[in-house]
Amino acid sequence: LADRDSSSETLDIVLSNLALLSSDSRPELRNCSVNTLFSCVVGLGERFTECQWKKSLNDTIFSVMKDIASGINGAKDTGVAEDTSKYRYKVAVHHTRNSASKQWAATQVLALRGLERVLRQYFLRLLATASSTSQNSGGSQQPWLVATWKEILTISLDCSKLAGGRETLDVRMAGVELILLCAQLSCKAGIVASGTTARVGTNMEVVGGALRSVRTPTKDKKNETTTPTLPVDNALRQQLFESAFVTMDGFRQHLEENGTENSDDESGVDSLLTQVLTKIMGELAKLYECCKHDEMSPGSCALQLDIVIENDDGYESRFLYLLQVIANNAKDDSSSKYLNQVQRGVMSLLQSMASNSSLRAFKALTSTSGDYMFVRSNDKNEGESFELEAAKTVASAFDSDNLSDEAKVTVMCSVLSHYLKIYGSDKEVMPSDSAERKTSEARYDIVTKVIDSGCHAAANIDGTADDTEILDSIWERIVTVVTSLILPPAASRYDGYAHHSKSILDIVAIVLTHLPPRKYASAEPMLEQGANRAVEVTFECIEDVNKPDAAEGAVHVFLACFMGLCQKMPTCSAVTSLTNHILGDAIDSDDQDGSVLFSKTQQSLAIAVCESLQTTTSQDLLVGVFPLLCRLTNVENDGLRRVAGRILGGVNLAQAISRERQRAEETDARAQEVEEENSAMLEEIEYLQAENEELQRQLALFTTEADA
């Protein structure tokens, strides 16, 4: 009838009768009526006037929702489905629909899905129609869509919080999906931003009570999902989005107040709440894609020494609060060795937010990770850890091209600050007793990646910045962290060198690669002290045969420090003194009969010195150690002879002699110029003395004549 005669009177008759049948006690008839009702609205919605939309939503659809809710409440009292044995045809009912409450729940799901279809297809038309009415009234009257929207959200929230067993699971999932759909539709970018398209084909209409194809589908047709026919009031759209977000806050409060739910069986199936949360995580990911450039945009990021959040009441903060509550409620099985789908969804969404330069997301990740970013767990059978995954997510987010350099540097500084609280020896940042960890338990794979990306970003900013005050503080913090690495406390330095020397070498190389020249003065004492400490530990380990790994690690640390000095500060006194000391001792030990282990240790250090000298670009340094290198070619150690020979082969003696000859000529020329200047000055002095004597004679003569 409605398809053949879409007049208001006929449509009212059809919808009212379908609404009446939607509360019938027979589930088959009831479900068919609900489907037909929403199919009719979806198929004929383009022809609806504003009055028809208001009546369809506020009177018909909401009345159906209320009747279904009453039916569910009534079914809870009886608990069993209607006995079909009295009928002529008996129907076998599946156990998931073998009670009245289960059957009414299925009807409610159909109604929620139908309302979702209507909103997906006609939200922009509804919004434009309500906007037009509001503008015509001069803004004195609240648009009718506001109250309708709030009622839809209230119905959805009630369904999402519905108590019961598995028979209400689909209702709860449909409820949370409708809440998130409302938020996606009403955001500034719209649902199209998430890549979600309308679920109703453009070539379908209701014919004989069912959706049928009536025309060839047109791909480029301008349907209501993308382009409204009337101008949209952005203030009204923002009001609707705020209402949807308030409803999301209400669901969060429900989770906080009701806690977790356990699975009702031991078959390995996730708990009911976990399944609901899995559904909402998928919808939250779509919502963030819609809002990440507008409502949840992190904004510009300024360089900071730590993550400081000023406004914590925005949509992004409320969104993160919801994620944290969901994550807390997702831990339903502490014995599981793997993350569940909810926890993985939370991590994935936090990574997307962090990759979008969201400092709030990074702060949530670093807070969640705790010490797991720097400390390994002693439990080898622990499996996947939510905290460890949070730490890994921080590092993986640095790979995003969308992450700004300022955000990378700020997050790196925050991570390094937390590291200093655990392992730092800085007097200003002393580690607390509760945060102390054994050095052997430390891990540097995650923090190395953070430092690498952070230092690269800091160098990029430093190259174009006019004001370097905040950058100097950032570089100082980085140097402080490296100092704590290469100068561990005396009680744990053996463990540090034994287990983490390779990581220390990598981090030192990364920092020196990006360190600006003006900060070399800060790095020089750090590298010098690190090299001297490593030499001390190397020889201390000779006396303890149980620490071979510590001795080898100390040589690696020495190599990192000394190579840094040779590459960045080849003219400093520390390079010359260490080279003369270590190479000289290696040559002397080769001439004397001493401990074999002591001699091998000196030779290992000498090889490290030679490998470092190979990386320097300073010919002056190589010429200065030329005699020692020549003597090294006569030692018994074959490896030391070869490396010394390679260095000598790289020394350009002709250029060095030519440069020294040029310097000598320049010195002679300058001495000649000084001598000539000296002679000229002596002549000038003699001339002035003669002038002075003449003036004195004339003065005496003038005085004598005056007295006479």
Side-chain angles (χ1 to χ4, degrees), residues 116-122 177 181 191 196-197 199 225:
E116 180 183 331
R117 289 163 55 197
V118 173
L119 293 178
R120 284 181 181 274
Q121 187 72 1
Y122 293 111
E177 184 176 358
L181 174 65
I191 196 171
T196 305
T197 57
R199 295 183 179 178
T225 305

Side-chain angles (χ1 to χ4, degrees), residues 588-606:
D588 294 340
S589 65
D590 190 71
D591 296 336
Q592 300 174 0
D593 295 332
S595 171
V596 176
L597 185 58
F598 185 85
S599 178
K600 287 184 177 180
T601 301
Q602 288 182 321
Q603 291 172 358
S604 298
L605 291 173

Side-chain angles (χ1 to χ4, degrees), residues 312-345:
D312 221 16
D313 298 326
Y315 290 122
E316 188 184 39
S317 296
R318 293 159 64 184
F319 189 79
L320 278 170
Y321 190 8
L322 174 59
L323 288 184
Q324 291 173 342
V325 173
I326 290 175
N328 293 335
N329 282 272
K331 302 175 182 178
D332 59 344
D333 187 2
S334 58
S335 62
S336 176
K337 292 186 178 182
Y338 303 98
L339 301 183
N340 57 36
Q341 291 300 316
V342 181
Q343 293 172 320
R344 294 187 187 279

Side-chain angles (χ1 to χ4, degrees), residues 655-673:
Q655 182 181 1
I657 294 173
S658 176
R659 185 171 59 252
E660 292 299 324
R661 182 179 299 168
Q662 183 178 358
R663 289 179 181 176
E665 292 175 353
E666 291 176 354
T667 303
D668 292 340
R670 181 57 183 164
Q672 183 66 28
E673 291 177 1

Side-chain angles (χ1 to χ4, degrees), residues 357-660:
S357 300
S358 172
L359 293 183
R360 290 180 176 87
F362 273 115
K363 187 171 184 178
L365 286 169
T366 53
S367 299
T368 301
S369 64
D371 298 347
Y372 278 75
M373 189 174 293
F374 320 105
V375 182
R376 296 186 184 276
S377 173
N378 290 326
D379 186 3
K380 296 183 179 179
N381 298 320
E382 181 182 14
E384 292 180 332
S385 165
F386 189 70
E387 292 78 6
L388 179 58
E389 290 302 314
K392 292 180 179 179
T393 301
V394 173
S396 60
F398 273 66
D399 295 332
S400 172
D401 296 332
N402 297 326
L403 186 60
S404 65
D405 287 341
E406 289 78 7
K408 289 182 179 180
V409 175
T410 300
V411 174
M412 177 190 66
C413 289
S414 178
V415 171
L416 296 183
S417 176
H418 188 52
Y419 172 84
L420 290 174
K421 292 178 182 178
I422 300 177
Y423 295 112
S425 57
D426 188 1
K427 295 181 180 180
E428 297 180 358
V429 191
M430 290 297 292
S432 60
D433 294 338
S434 60
E436 288 182 352
R437 298 288 187 275
K438 293 182 180 180
T439 307
S440 58
E441 299 174 358
R443 65 181 305 156
Y444 293 101
D445 54 335
I446 298 176
V447 74
T448 298
K449 189 173 183 179
V450 172
I451 292 176
D452 189 7
S453 298
C455 287
H456 181 73
N460 291 339
I461 299 173
D462 201 300
T464 58
D466 296 328
D467 185 7
T468 59
E469 181 178 357
I470 182 67
L471 285 166
D472 287 341
S473 301
I474 291 170
W475 289 118
E476 288 296 334
R477 176 166 295 184
I478 295 172
V479 170
T480 301
V481 170
V482 177
T483 301
S484 69
L485 281 173
I486 62 180
L487 295 174
S492 60
R493 60 183 179 181
Y494 296 117
D495 288 338
Y497 289 144
H499 296 91
H500 309 297
S501 59
K502 298 292 182 62
S503 299
I504 294 174
L505 194 151
D506 292 339
I507 293 176
V508 171
I510 289 170
V511 172
L512 292 179
T513 299
H514 301 292
L515 191 70
R518 71 174 186 280
K519 302 304 298 181
Y520 287 172
S522 300
E524 180 180 344
M526 170 194 74
L527 296 174
E528 181 179 0
Q529 295 173 21
N532 288 325
R533 173 73 66 83
V535 172
E536 293 176 6
V537 172
T538 301
F539 286 107
E540 288 174 3
C541 292
I542 296 177
E543 302 174 1
D544 191 344
V545 295
N546 296 322
K547 298 178 180 178
D549 294 338
E552 182 180 357
V555 173
H556 289 151
V557 174
F558 170 80
L559 176 63
C561 296
F562 189 75
M563 186 175 292
L565 289 171
C566 290
Q567 292 176 349
K568 303 299 181 180
M569 295 147 272
T571 59
C572 67
S573 59
V575 174
T576 304
S577 61
L578 284 170
T579 302
N580 293 335
H581 171 64
I582 294 175
L583 295 186
D585 288 349
I587 295 172
D588 294 340
S589 65
D590 190 71
D591 296 336
Q592 300 174 0
D593 295 332
S595 171
V596 176
L597 185 58
F598 185 85
S599 178
K600 287 184 177 180
T601 301
Q602 288 182 321
Q603 291 172 358
S604 298
L605 291 173
I607 291 175
V609 169
C610 292
E611 291 178 351
S612 301
L613 292 175
Q614 283 184 288
T615 65
T616 186
T617 58
S618 174
Q619 289 292 319
D620 292 338
L621 173 61
L622 298 179
V623 171
V625 299
F626 188 83
L628 289 173
L629 294 174
C630 292
R631 295 179 61 187
L632 284 176
T633 58
N634 295 322
V635 298
E636 293 183 1
N637 188 286
D638 186 57
L640 191 54
R641 288 200 311 270
R642 285 200 301 268
V643 70
R646 285 197 297 269
I647 299 175
L648 290 173
V651 177
N652 193 334
L653 290 179
Q655 182 181 1
I657 294 173
S658 176
R659 185 171 59 252
E660 292 299 324

